[in-house]
mmCIF file of all heavy atoms in Angstrom:
data_model
loop_
_atom_site.group_PDB
_atom_site.id
_atom_site.type_symbol
_atom_site.label_atom_id
_atom_site.label_comp_id
_atom_site.label_asym_id
_atom_site.label_seq_id
_atom_site.Cartn_x
_atom_site.Cartn_y
_atom_site.Cartn_z
ATOM 1 N N MET A 16 12.544 4.600 10.205
ATOM 2 C CA MET A 16 11.133 4.426 9.864
ATOM 3 C C MET A 16 10.956 4.370 8.352
ATOM 4 O O MET A 16 11.293 5.318 7.645
ATOM 5 C CB MET A 16 10.305 5.579 10.433
ATOM 6 C CG MET A 16 8.820 5.534 10.066
ATOM 7 S SD MET A 16 7.904 4.213 10.906
ATOM 8 C CE MET A 16 7.810 4.917 12.565
ATOM 9 N N ALA A 17 10.446 3.264 7.835
ATOM 10 C CA ALA A 17 10.110 3.175 6.420
ATOM 11 C C ALA A 17 8.768 3.868 6.188
ATOM 12 O O ALA A 17 7.874 3.801 7.042
ATOM 13 C CB ALA A 17 10.034 1.725 5.973
ATOM 14 N N VAL A 18 8.629 4.539 5.043
ATOM 15 C CA VAL A 18 7.393 5.264 4.706
ATOM 16 C C VAL A 18 6.933 4.812 3.321
ATOM 17 O O VAL A 18 7.639 5.004 2.335
ATOM 18 C CB VAL A 18 7.614 6.790 4.725
ATOM 19 C CG1 VAL A 18 6.313 7.520 4.381
ATOM 20 C CG2 VAL A 18 8.145 7.247 6.081
ATOM 21 N N VAL A 19 5.746 4.209 3.274
ATOM 22 C CA VAL A 19 5.240 3.595 2.048
ATOM 23 C C VAL A 19 3.906 4.242 1.678
ATOM 24 O O VAL A 19 2.996 4.320 2.508
ATOM 25 C CB VAL A 19 5.065 2.079 2.231
ATOM 26 C CG1 VAL A 19 4.505 1.436 0.965
ATOM 27 C CG2 VAL A 19 6.400 1.429 2.614
ATOM 28 N N VAL A 20 3.788 4.695 0.408
ATOM 29 C CA VAL A 20 2.584 5.409 -0.046
ATOM 30 C C VAL A 20 2.144 4.820 -1.390
ATOM 31 O O VAL A 20 2.457 5.368 -2.455
ATOM 32 C CB VAL A 20 2.848 6.924 -0.173
ATOM 33 C CG1 VAL A 20 1.539 7.668 -0.453
ATOM 34 C CG2 VAL A 20 3.500 7.476 1.085
ATOM 35 N N PRO A 21 1.405 3.708 -1.396
ATOM 36 C CA PRO A 21 0.969 3.087 -2.644
ATOM 37 C C PRO A 21 -0.104 3.917 -3.352
ATOM 38 O O PRO A 21 -0.718 4.809 -2.761
ATOM 39 C CB PRO A 21 0.430 1.731 -2.192
ATOM 40 C CG PRO A 21 0.044 1.930 -0.759
ATOM 41 C CD PRO A 21 1.005 2.938 -0.207
ATOM 42 N N CYS A 22 -0.357 3.587 -4.631
ATOM 43 C CA CYS A 22 -1.145 4.481 -5.485
ATOM 44 C C CYS A 22 -2.581 4.060 -5.725
ATOM 45 O O CYS A 22 -3.410 4.898 -6.107
ATOM 46 C CB CYS A 22 -0.440 4.661 -6.827
ATOM 47 S SG CYS A 22 -0.340 3.159 -7.820
ATOM 48 N N ASP A 23 -2.914 2.783 -5.590
ATOM 49 C CA ASP A 23 -4.285 2.353 -5.841
ATOM 50 C C ASP A 23 -4.601 1.115 -5.010
ATOM 51 O O ASP A 23 -3.787 0.669 -4.184
ATOM 52 C CB ASP A 23 -4.516 2.102 -7.338
ATOM 53 C CG ASP A 23 -3.732 0.905 -7.887
ATOM 54 O OD1 ASP A 23 -2.948 0.283 -7.140
ATOM 55 O OD2 ASP A 23 -3.895 0.587 -9.090
ATOM 56 N N PHE A 24 -5.796 0.556 -5.204
ATOM 57 C CA PHE A 24 -6.241 -0.606 -4.436
ATOM 58 C C PHE A 24 -5.279 -1.775 -4.585
ATOM 59 O O PHE A 24 -4.824 -2.361 -3.588
ATOM 60 C CB PHE A 24 -7.641 -1.006 -4.906
ATOM 61 C CG PHE A 24 -8.164 -2.286 -4.318
ATOM 62 C CD1 PHE A 24 -8.969 -2.277 -3.199
ATOM 63 C CD2 PHE A 24 -7.866 -3.513 -4.910
ATOM 64 C CE1 PHE A 24 -9.452 -3.464 -2.656
ATOM 65 C CE2 PHE A 24 -8.336 -4.699 -4.379
ATOM 66 C CZ PHE A 24 -9.134 -4.676 -3.243
ATOM 67 N N ASN A 25 -4.973 -2.138 -5.837
ATOM 68 C CA ASN A 25 -4.111 -3.294 -6.067
ATOM 69 C C ASN A 25 -2.747 -3.126 -5.415
ATOM 70 O O ASN A 25 -2.236 -4.043 -4.761
ATOM 71 C CB ASN A 25 -3.926 -3.527 -7.570
ATOM 72 C CG ASN A 25 -5.167 -4.107 -8.228
ATOM 73 O OD1 ASN A 25 -6.037 -4.665 -7.563
ATOM 74 N ND2 ASN A 25 -5.255 -3.982 -9.549
ATOM 75 N N GLN A 26 -2.144 -1.953 -5.597
ATOM 76 C CA GLN A 26 -0.809 -1.757 -5.047
ATOM 77 C C GLN A 26 -0.831 -1.671 -3.519
ATOM 78 O O GLN A 26 0.117 -2.103 -2.866
ATOM 79 C CB GLN A 26 -0.151 -0.513 -5.638
ATOM 80 C CG GLN A 26 1.332 -0.438 -5.288
ATOM 81 C CD GLN A 26 2.059 0.631 -6.058
ATOM 82 O OE1 GLN A 26 1.868 1.815 -5.806
ATOM 83 N NE2 GLN A 26 2.922 0.218 -6.988
ATOM 84 N N THR A 27 -1.905 -1.133 -2.958
ATOM 85 C CA THR A 27 -1.998 -1.072 -1.498
ATOM 86 C C THR A 27 -2.079 -2.478 -0.905
ATOM 87 O O THR A 27 -1.460 -2.761 0.126
ATOM 88 C CB THR A 27 -3.212 -0.236 -1.060
ATOM 89 O OG1 THR A 27 -3.119 1.064 -1.641
ATOM 90 C CG2 THR A 27 -3.258 -0.102 0.447
ATOM 91 N N LYS A 28 -2.813 -3.351 -1.552
ATOM 92 C CA LYS A 28 -2.879 -4.743 -1.089
ATOM 93 C C LYS A 28 -1.494 -5.381 -1.107
ATOM 94 O O LYS A 28 -1.060 -5.991 -0.105
ATOM 95 C CB LYS A 28 -3.828 -5.551 -1.968
ATOM 96 C CG LYS A 28 -3.874 -7.034 -1.599
ATOM 97 C CD LYS A 28 -4.783 -7.823 -2.534
ATOM 98 C CE LYS A 28 -4.730 -9.318 -2.213
ATOM 99 N NZ LYS A 28 -5.606 -10.103 -3.121
ATOM 100 N N MET A 29 -0.784 -5.234 -2.216
ATOM 101 C CA MET A 29 0.531 -5.858 -2.336
ATOM 102 C C MET A 29 1.556 -5.187 -1.430
ATOM 103 O O MET A 29 2.458 -5.846 -0.890
ATOM 104 C CB MET A 29 0.988 -5.828 -3.791
ATOM 105 C CG MET A 29 0.071 -6.578 -4.744
ATOM 106 S SD MET A 29 -0.307 -8.283 -4.217
ATOM 107 C CE MET A 29 1.309 -9.039 -4.381
ATOM 108 N N ALA A 30 1.420 -3.872 -1.230
ATOM 109 C CA ALA A 30 2.317 -3.174 -0.309
ATOM 110 C C ALA A 30 2.110 -3.667 1.120
ATOM 111 O O ALA A 30 3.065 -3.811 1.886
ATOM 112 C CB ALA A 30 2.083 -1.669 -0.393
ATOM 113 N N THR A 31 0.868 -3.935 1.491
ATOM 114 C CA THR A 31 0.576 -4.449 2.833
ATOM 115 C C THR A 31 1.250 -5.796 3.054
ATOM 116 O O THR A 31 1.823 -6.055 4.125
ATOM 117 C CB THR A 31 -0.943 -4.575 3.036
ATOM 118 O OG1 THR A 31 -1.555 -3.289 2.829
ATOM 119 C CG2 THR A 31 -1.273 -5.073 4.435
ATOM 120 N N LEU A 32 1.211 -6.648 2.048
ATOM 121 C CA LEU A 32 1.882 -7.951 2.153
ATOM 122 C C LEU A 32 3.393 -7.766 2.301
ATOM 123 O O LEU A 32 4.046 -8.472 3.074
ATOM 124 C CB LEU A 32 1.567 -8.799 0.919
ATOM 125 C CG LEU A 32 0.113 -9.271 0.794
ATOM 126 C CD1 LEU A 32 -0.138 -9.871 -0.586
ATOM 127 C CD2 LEU A 32 -0.213 -10.287 1.880
ATOM 128 N N ALA A 33 3.949 -6.811 1.565
ATOM 129 C CA ALA A 33 5.389 -6.542 1.670
ATOM 130 C C ALA A 33 5.739 -5.961 3.036
ATOM 131 O O ALA A 33 6.772 -6.320 3.628
ATOM 132 C CB ALA A 33 5.821 -5.585 0.559
ATOM 133 N N VAL A 34 4.906 -5.084 3.538
ATOM 134 C CA VAL A 34 5.130 -4.486 4.866
ATOM 135 C C VAL A 34 5.122 -5.566 5.942
ATOM 136 O O VAL A 34 5.919 -5.535 6.893
ATOM 137 C CB VAL A 34 4.063 -3.410 5.149
ATOM 138 C CG1 VAL A 34 4.049 -3.026 6.632
ATOM 139 C CG2 VAL A 34 4.311 -2.176 4.286
ATOM 140 N N ALA A 35 4.246 -6.544 5.802
ATOM 141 C CA ALA A 35 4.159 -7.624 6.791
ATOM 142 C C ALA A 35 5.452 -8.428 6.861
ATOM 143 O O ALA A 35 5.793 -8.975 7.916
ATOM 144 C CB ALA A 35 2.988 -8.542 6.453
ATOM 145 N N GLU A 36 6.182 -8.492 5.756
ATOM 146 C CA GLU A 36 7.421 -9.267 5.713
ATOM 147 C C GLU A 36 8.658 -8.416 6.005
ATOM 148 O O GLU A 36 9.754 -8.961 6.199
ATOM 149 C CB GLU A 36 7.569 -9.927 4.342
ATOM 150 C CG GLU A 36 6.475 -10.958 4.045
ATOM 151 C CD GLU A 36 6.632 -11.591 2.686
ATOM 152 O OE1 GLU A 36 7.576 -11.213 1.963
ATOM 153 O OE2 GLU A 36 5.819 -12.476 2.350
ATOM 154 N N TYR A 37 8.495 -7.113 6.040
ATOM 155 C CA TYR A 37 9.611 -6.185 6.258
ATOM 156 C C TYR A 37 9.971 -6.133 7.740
ATOM 157 O O TYR A 37 9.093 -6.029 8.599
ATOM 158 C CB TYR A 37 9.205 -4.805 5.757
ATOM 159 C CG TYR A 37 10.267 -3.736 5.834
ATOM 160 C CD1 TYR A 37 11.170 -3.548 4.794
ATOM 161 C CD2 TYR A 37 10.350 -2.895 6.934
ATOM 162 C CE1 TYR A 37 12.132 -2.554 4.839
ATOM 163 C CE2 TYR A 37 11.309 -1.889 7.000
ATOM 164 C CZ TYR A 37 12.190 -1.724 5.949
ATOM 165 O OH TYR A 37 13.132 -0.724 6.005
ATOM 166 N N GLU A 38 11.232 -6.189 8.043
ATOM 167 C CA GLU A 38 11.680 -6.166 9.440
ATOM 168 C C GLU A 38 11.943 -4.727 9.864
ATOM 169 O O GLU A 38 12.842 -4.073 9.343
ATOM 170 C CB GLU A 38 12.946 -7.004 9.613
ATOM 171 C CG GLU A 38 13.415 -7.135 11.050
ATOM 172 C CD GLU A 38 12.456 -7.896 11.947
ATOM 173 O OE1 GLU A 38 11.771 -8.817 11.444
ATOM 174 O OE2 GLU A 38 12.377 -7.572 13.147
ATOM 175 N N GLY A 39 11.144 -4.224 10.806
ATOM 176 C CA GLY A 39 11.333 -2.874 11.307
ATOM 177 C C GLY A 39 10.055 -2.062 11.220
ATOM 178 O O GLY A 39 9.066 -2.480 10.626
ATOM 179 N N PRO A 40 10.053 -0.865 11.814
ATOM 180 C CA PRO A 40 8.854 -0.035 11.831
ATOM 181 C C PRO A 40 8.525 0.537 10.452
ATOM 182 O O PRO A 40 9.421 0.919 9.705
ATOM 183 C CB PRO A 40 9.212 1.078 12.823
ATOM 184 C CG PRO A 40 10.698 1.157 12.782
ATOM 185 C CD PRO A 40 11.182 -0.240 12.553
ATOM 186 N N VAL A 41 7.230 0.583 10.142
ATOM 187 C CA VAL A 41 6.772 1.074 8.838
ATOM 188 C C VAL A 41 5.548 1.971 9.031
ATOM 189 O O VAL A 41 4.659 1.662 9.835
ATOM 190 C CB VAL A 41 6.393 -0.087 7.896
ATOM 191 C CG1 VAL A 41 5.918 0.458 6.546
ATOM 192 C CG2 VAL A 41 7.551 -1.045 7.696
ATOM 193 N N TYR A 42 5.514 3.050 8.270
ATOM 194 C CA TYR A 42 4.327 3.900 8.165
ATOM 195 C C TYR A 42 3.728 3.672 6.792
ATOM 196 O O TYR A 42 4.317 4.043 5.772
ATOM 197 C CB TYR A 42 4.706 5.365 8.352
ATOM 198 C CG TYR A 42 3.529 6.320 8.369
ATOM 199 C CD1 TYR A 42 2.704 6.419 9.479
ATOM 200 C CD2 TYR A 42 3.268 7.137 7.271
ATOM 201 C CE1 TYR A 42 1.631 7.296 9.502
ATOM 202 C CE2 TYR A 42 2.198 8.019 7.287
ATOM 203 C CZ TYR A 42 1.384 8.095 8.407
ATOM 204 O OH TYR A 42 0.324 8.965 8.423
ATOM 205 N N LEU A 43 2.560 3.042 6.732
ATOM 206 C CA LEU A 43 1.875 2.719 5.483
ATOM 207 C C LEU A 43 0.694 3.677 5.328
ATOM 208 O O LEU A 43 -0.252 3.640 6.099
ATOM 209 C CB LEU A 43 1.392 1.267 5.498
ATOM 210 C CG LEU A 43 0.545 0.798 4.318
ATOM 211 C CD1 LEU A 43 1.335 0.879 3.014
ATOM 212 C CD2 LEU A 43 0.041 -0.623 4.551
ATOM 213 N N ARG A 44 0.756 4.532 4.315
ATOM 214 C CA ARG A 44 -0.221 5.619 4.132
ATOM 215 C C ARG A 44 -1.170 5.304 2.975
ATOM 216 O O ARG A 44 -0.746 5.069 1.850
ATOM 217 C CB ARG A 44 0.535 6.919 3.838
ATOM 218 C CG ARG A 44 -0.315 8.173 3.769
ATOM 219 C CD ARG A 44 0.526 9.325 3.244
ATOM 220 N NE ARG A 44 0.082 10.633 3.672
ATOM 221 C CZ ARG A 44 -0.341 11.594 2.844
ATOM 222 N NH1 ARG A 44 -0.395 11.349 1.549
ATOM 223 N NH2 ARG A 44 -0.703 12.767 3.316
ATOM 224 N N TYR A 45 -2.465 5.356 3.245
ATOM 225 C CA TYR A 45 -3.457 5.129 2.192
ATOM 226 C C TYR A 45 -4.703 5.961 2.483
ATOM 227 O O TYR A 45 -4.733 6.727 3.461
ATOM 228 C CB TYR A 45 -3.787 3.638 2.052
ATOM 229 C CG TYR A 45 -4.136 2.949 3.350
ATOM 230 C CD1 TYR A 45 -5.458 2.852 3.766
ATOM 231 C CD2 TYR A 45 -3.146 2.385 4.164
ATOM 232 C CE1 TYR A 45 -5.784 2.217 4.957
ATOM 233 C CE2 TYR A 45 -3.472 1.752 5.346
ATOM 234 C CZ TYR A 45 -4.792 1.674 5.740
ATOM 235 O OH TYR A 45 -5.105 1.052 6.918
ATOM 236 N N GLY A 46 -5.745 5.843 1.631
ATOM 237 C CA GLY A 46 -6.831 6.805 1.713
ATOM 238 C C GLY A 46 -8.223 6.226 1.814
ATOM 239 O O GLY A 46 -8.450 5.019 1.758
ATOM 240 N N ARG A 47 -9.178 7.153 1.922
ATOM 241 C CA ARG A 47 -10.587 6.827 2.103
ATOM 242 C C ARG A 47 -11.397 6.741 0.809
ATOM 243 O O ARG A 47 -12.225 5.841 0.672
ATOM 244 C CB ARG A 47 -11.212 7.875 3.028
ATOM 245 C CG ARG A 47 -12.705 7.722 3.251
ATOM 246 C CD ARG A 47 -13.231 8.940 3.986
ATOM 247 N NE ARG A 47 -14.559 8.755 4.515
ATOM 248 C CZ ARG A 47 -15.230 9.709 5.158
ATOM 249 N NH1 ARG A 47 -14.686 10.900 5.335
ATOM 250 N NH2 ARG A 47 -16.445 9.478 5.615
ATOM 251 N N PRO A 48 -11.229 7.659 -0.154
ATOM 252 C CA PRO A 48 -12.160 7.693 -1.291
ATOM 253 C C PRO A 48 -11.891 6.609 -2.321
ATOM 254 O O PRO A 48 -10.792 6.045 -2.389
ATOM 255 C CB PRO A 48 -11.902 9.080 -1.900
ATOM 256 C CG PRO A 48 -10.462 9.324 -1.627
ATOM 257 C CD PRO A 48 -10.207 8.730 -0.257
ATOM 258 N N ALA A 49 -12.905 6.324 -3.115
ATOM 259 C CA ALA A 49 -12.729 5.430 -4.256
ATOM 260 C C ALA A 49 -11.978 6.189 -5.344
ATOM 261 O O ALA A 49 -12.380 7.277 -5.743
ATOM 262 C CB ALA A 49 -14.083 4.958 -4.768
ATOM 263 N N VAL A 50 -10.879 5.608 -5.800
ATOM 264 C CA VAL A 50 -10.024 6.230 -6.806
ATOM 265 C C VAL A 50 -9.737 5.208 -7.906
ATOM 266 O O VAL A 50 -9.973 4.013 -7.727
ATOM 267 C CB VAL A 50 -8.693 6.733 -6.182
ATOM 268 C CG1 VAL A 50 -8.961 7.853 -5.183
ATOM 269 C CG2 VAL A 50 -7.950 5.579 -5.502
ATOM 270 N N PRO A 51 -9.232 5.639 -9.057
ATOM 271 C CA PRO A 51 -8.935 4.683 -10.134
ATOM 272 C C PRO A 51 -8.025 3.546 -9.658
ATOM 273 O O PRO A 51 -7.042 3.768 -8.955
ATOM 274 C CB PRO A 51 -8.243 5.550 -11.189
ATOM 275 C CG PRO A 51 -8.856 6.905 -10.994
ATOM 276 C CD PRO A 51 -9.019 7.032 -9.501
ATOM 277 N N ASN A 52 -8.385 2.330 -10.056
ATOM 278 C CA ASN A 52 -7.570 1.148 -9.774
ATOM 279 C C ASN A 52 -6.971 0.698 -11.093
ATOM 280 O O ASN A 52 -7.681 0.250 -11.991
ATOM 281 C CB ASN A 52 -8.451 0.042 -9.172
ATOM 282 C CG ASN A 52 -7.646 -1.148 -8.698
ATOM 283 O OD1 ASN A 52 -6.579 -0.991 -8.122
ATOM 284 N ND2 ASN A 52 -8.158 -2.344 -8.934
ATOM 285 N N PHE A 53 -5.661 0.837 -11.239
ATOM 286 C CA PHE A 53 -5.068 0.723 -12.572
ATOM 287 C C PHE A 53 -3.801 -0.110 -12.634
ATOM 288 O O PHE A 53 -3.366 -0.478 -13.720
ATOM 289 C CB PHE A 53 -4.782 2.116 -13.137
ATOM 290 C CG PHE A 53 -3.900 2.967 -12.256
ATOM 291 C CD1 PHE A 53 -2.530 3.004 -12.458
ATOM 292 C CD2 PHE A 53 -4.437 3.713 -11.221
ATOM 293 C CE1 PHE A 53 -1.712 3.781 -11.638
ATOM 294 C CE2 PHE A 53 -3.635 4.497 -10.411
ATOM 295 C CZ PHE A 53 -2.269 4.536 -10.605
ATOM 296 N N THR A 54 -3.156 -0.405 -11.508
ATOM 297 C CA THR A 54 -1.949 -1.224 -11.567
ATOM 298 C C THR A 54 -2.333 -2.696 -11.713
ATOM 299 O O THR A 54 -3.470 -3.094 -11.453
ATOM 300 C CB THR A 54 -1.063 -1.035 -10.330
ATOM 301 O OG1 THR A 54 -1.785 -1.454 -9.156
ATOM 302 C CG2 THR A 54 -0.640 0.414 -10.167
ATOM 303 N N GLU A 55 -1.367 -3.489 -12.114
ATOM 304 C CA GLU A 55 -1.611 -4.908 -12.350
ATOM 305 C C GLU A 55 -1.952 -5.622 -11.042
ATOM 306 O O GLU A 55 -1.304 -5.433 -10.016
ATOM 307 C CB GLU A 55 -0.374 -5.549 -12.977
ATOM 308 C CG GLU A 55 -0.534 -7.013 -13.323
ATOM 309 C CD GLU A 55 0.723 -7.604 -13.922
ATOM 310 O OE1 GLU A 55 1.647 -6.826 -14.232
ATOM 311 O OE2 GLU A 55 0.776 -8.836 -14.065
ATOM 312 N N GLU A 56 -2.968 -6.443 -11.089
ATOM 313 C CA GLU A 56 -3.366 -7.210 -9.920
ATOM 314 C C GLU A 56 -2.257 -8.182 -9.521
ATOM 315 O O GLU A 56 -1.684 -8.866 -10.365
ATOM 316 C CB GLU A 56 -4.658 -7.977 -10.204
ATOM 317 C CG GLU A 56 -5.240 -8.687 -8.995
ATOM 318 C CD GLU A 56 -6.562 -9.363 -9.291
ATOM 319 O OE1 GLU A 56 -6.949 -9.425 -10.486
ATOM 320 O OE2 GLU A 56 -7.216 -9.836 -8.344
#
């Protein structure tokens, strides 16, 4: 089981795209509140 925990909105979007292409089961963990968005789009 792969476990992925991105840090902000931008990275969660890109992590989701990577998860879609990854072969095998994945647990993608993200959150509810608005938090700083700081990584490169």
Side-chain angles (χ1 to χ4, degrees):
M16 177 71 74
V18 180
V19 179
V20 188
C22 66
D23 67 357
F24 173 95
N25 286 341
Q26 191 170 71
T27 304
K28 176 183 176 180
M29 299 309 293
T31 302
L32 292 169
V34 166
E36 296 180 359
Y37 183 88
E38 185 65 32
V41 180
Y42 185 76
L43 175 62
R44 186 189 206 242
Y45 50 92
R47 177 189 194 182
V50 295
N52 187 40
F53 56 94
T54 62
E55 183 181 350
E56 186 176 9

